Amino acid sequence: MKKINFFFAAMAAVATLATSCNTGTPKADMKNDVDSLSYSLGMAQTQGLKEYLTYQMGMDTTYINEFIKGLNESANSGDDKKKAAYYAGIQIGQQISQRMMKGINHELFGEDSTQTISLKNFMAGFVAGVTGKDAKMTQQEAVELTNVKMEVVKKAHLEKAYGENKKKGEAYMDSIAKKAGIQKLENGVYYEVITEGKGDIPADTTQVKVHYEGKLIDGTVFDSSIQRDAPTTFRCNQVIPGWTNALTHMPVGSKWIVYIPQDQAYAEREAGMIKPFSALTFTIELLSIEK
């Protein structure tokens, strides 16, 4: 719901600009200091406005005269509350069309432009929320349902788009489980020992220094402190679950190859080269526990 709050804040800014950018007079007539100040105020308030209209509101500046027409009508409506309400509705409707719908669809469906939420149902809910009439739920229920359904719809789309990736990861983890020398931790995490250390085993809140290299299941290296020759330090519970699981079983001085299923890695999230539902392999060397 933070996005909606930002949306209304943005609209307040637009409304302020709309009432101060133009006095409605077609030509300037600067006879005194107040006239000159009035003109300079209007001009000063337009700094960055064209960029805002283009990039934030999606306006085509080819139609700048239509913008000026609407601007003058709105600014000159004075205390006409009926007109003010109408213009406010147009402004917010444009924001819904140009920003909110696009932002929500991108959040849910990524770059898949063939998918969209229902504008009809969105507007039905929006109008019910504004008027308080014929509402199917309370505002609080709407917030709670939004939080739940956003994740449900997003995950369903990702599973459809990356279902093959998930299957390949599962097959990879099955093959790892059958390898000689493989040992199993909780939640489907596997490891094989390259070097077994003799030091202490960290807790999940322990600060540790490690060297690591991460690979996709096809062998592509996506990150490596080893290649950078720069060990990294963090708490064991500040990383993905599969890492926490491994580190809290590793004695200092150990070097393991750790195989992590997608649900113990980034799950449906995308992180750089790591696509949703990716199983991952890490070589991890636990160098020390940091005090």
Side-chain angles (χ1 to χ4, degrees), residues 66-77:
E66 293 301 310
F67 167 75
I68 297 301
K69 179 181 177 181
L71 182 72
N72 279 321
E73 288 181 4
S74 177
N76 286 302
S77 63

Side-chain angles (χ1 to χ4, degrees), residues 110-134:
E111 301 301 324
D112 187 352
S113 60
T114 66
Q115 300 293 313
T116 180
I117 64 168
S118 166
L119 178 60
K120 176 183 176 181
N121 286 330
F122 179 93
M123 291 305 298
F126 195 94
V127 171
V130 171
T131 63
K133 297 178 180 179
D134 301 320

Side-chain angles (χ1 to χ4, degrees), residues 94-105:
Q94 284 293 309
Q95 288 289 319
I96 289 172
S97 173
Q98 297 300 319
R99 295 183 65 186
M100 291 190 74
M101 289 293 291
K102 290 179 180 178
I104 292 168
N105 284 333

Side-chain angles (χ1 to χ4, degrees), residues 224-242:
S224 177
S225 73
I226 297 171
Q227 291 181 8
R228 293 191 298 271
D229 193 24
T232 186
T233 301
F234 50 79
R235 284 202 317 271
C236 292
N237 59 8
Q238 290 181 314
V239 287
I240 58 175

